[in-house]
Amino acid sequence: MAIQEVVTNLGRRQAIKAATGALFAAASAVDIFHGIGTARAAVLANTPESLGSIKVLAFDFQGSCMNYYDPIAEMGQAINASKGLSLDWSNLTKGWVSNLYKVVGEHQDQYAPAAQLYRDALDQLLDQRNLSSTFNEEERVEMARVWDRMVPWPDTTEGLNRLKRKFALTTLSNSSMASVFQAARRHALPFDQILTGELVQAYKPSPKVYNLVPSLLGYKENEVLFCATHFADLKEAKKFGYKTAWWPRPNETGPGQVTDTSPKPFVDLYARDIVDLASQLGA
């Protein structure tokens, strides 16, 4: 089956793509960063010196540290080739992610495993795009597993390794424990701890998830810097009592993504990427 074959080939293809795509990703981030000069100036009072109480950095994982679009696009190319289709997988990815946010919101009061949410969002997408008859059950199962094959952004590993010299590092993710643990181990990401909403059967923006850091790791709220590329996540983390750091991922959902760079009162530190974050924090 073509979908299964692309799973086998993803590692080799992504290694090549990482080398050729690093410059493009970095250039895109720099271009985006020109638009947040005002935002950064608006928080000059929150210099790294004013963040001196920070002892642990808690990272959103999916999208912020990890690239899910390239694995989806690789899978999509294989599907198009094997089925003789010409589906726009950048557009489909945006729809899948949009559905996923909605499905997560629907399960705030009734927890379901992350794998189920990926699948539910996919089924909704196929219905919305009149593609339900195009994919059978076996293919849908394999497609939903693509979220377990996220790869680090070009700056992620270097940035985290530098930050590890000065701070404790943990994830704070809506993905499953197994998915985040396996991805971190596979790509040698230097997290001291893996925390996800699965531990409390909840999803961000539930305070139960943000509370994992103080409740399980023993840090006070003012000792935590929550780091993410998603403003909604940062807003709730700030409300919980954390300091916050943001950087853009202009290609998170693929070409044509619109990135909001307007100043936000709940963001304490703006960076170009995780390497720049490390530089600003003196790591």
Side-chain angles (χ1 to χ4, degrees):
M1 176 182 290
I3 298 177
Q4 293 173 329
E5 290 172 2
V6 79
V7 172
T8 303
N9 292 330
L10 268 175
R12 292 192 294 271
R13 293 183 182 180
Q14 287 165 356
I16 297 171
K17 180 171 285 188
T20 58
L23 289 176
F24 174 77
S28 297
V30 169
D31 289 342
I32 287 290
F33 196 70
H34 287 313
I36 66 172
T38 302
R40 194 169 189 179
V43 292
L44 282 178
N46 288 303
T47 60
E49 288 76 15
S50 71
L51 299 175
S53 65
I54 299 302
K55 296 181 179 179
V56 59
L57 273 56
F59 283 85
D60 175 59
F61 196 68
Q62 182 174 292
S64 297
C65 294
M66 304 296 281
N67 170 3
Y68 55 77
Y69 174 71
D70 280 351
I72 293 176
E74 291 272 5
M75 179 185 70
Q77 291 172 7
I79 290 172
N80 282 353
S82 66
K83 289 180 171 290
L85 301 172
S86 57
L87 299 176
D88 179 350
W89 285 90
S90 175
N91 183 271
L92 288 172
T93 300
K94 291 173 178 60
W96 197 350
V97 172
S98 178
N99 286 349
L100 184 59
Y101 279 122
K102 295 175 184 176
V103 171
V104 168
E106 293 167 358
H107 284 81
Q108 286 300 314
D109 297 322
Q110 187 174 5
Y111 180 82
Q116 180 181 325
L117 304 194
Y118 295 136
R119 174 60 191 273
D120 289 350
L122 172 63
D123 288 343
Q124 290 179 14
L125 176 70
L126 298 181
D127 287 343
Q128 293 161 353
R129 305 299 174 90
N130 297 316
L131 293 169
S132 293
S133 62
T134 305
F135 299 97
N136 61 34
E137 174 64 19
E138 182 181 0
E139 290 169 331
R140 293 181 187 218
V141 168
E142 188 61 39
M143 289 166 70
R145 287 176 180 159
V146 73
W147 293 90
D148 291 331
R149 300 195 294 274
M150 296 181 289
V151 295
W153 293 105
D155 57 281
T156 295
T157 302
E158 178 186 348
L160 291 178
N161 277 315
R162 286 177 55 182
L163 288 164
K164 178 67 176 288
R165 301 170 192 165
K166 188 173 181 179
F167 304 99
L169 305 180
T170 183
T171 65
L172 197 57
S173 172
N174 275 346
S175 298
S176 71
M177 286 292 295
S179 178
V180 177
F181 174 82
Q182 293 293 346
R185 185 174 184 275
R186 184 166 58 249
H187 297 288
L189 301 180
F191 289 106
D192 297 290
Q193 182 61 271
I194 301 298
L195 299 177
T196 81
E198 185 176 9
L199 292 170
V200 286
Q201 302 285 280
Y203 291 105
K204 295 179 291 182
S206 169
K208 293 179 182 179
V209 183
Y210 299 106
N211 190 50
L212 283 168
V213 180
S215 66
L216 295 185
L217 304 187
Y219 293 97
K220 300 175 182 177
E221 286 82 353
N222 67 353
E223 295 175 329
V224 180
L225 180 66
F226 181 71
C227 307
T229 194
H230 308 118
F231 282 130
D233 205 354
L234 292 162
K235 183 177 182 179
E236 295 304 315
K238 183 70 172 180
K239 188 183 300 182
F240 186 78
Y242 294 159
K243 294 292 188 180
T244 58
W246 174 87
W247 57 89
R249 291 298 186 201
N251 302 304
E252 180 184 354
T253 60
Q257 174 180 308
V258 177
T259 301
D260 179 9
T261 61
S262 60
K264 300 292 186 292
F266 47 82
V267 175
D268 296 302
L269 196 60
Y270 291 82
R272 291 179 174 85
D273 54 26
I274 301 177
V275 170
D276 184 47
L277 178 66
S279 295
Q280 291 194 54
L281 293 176

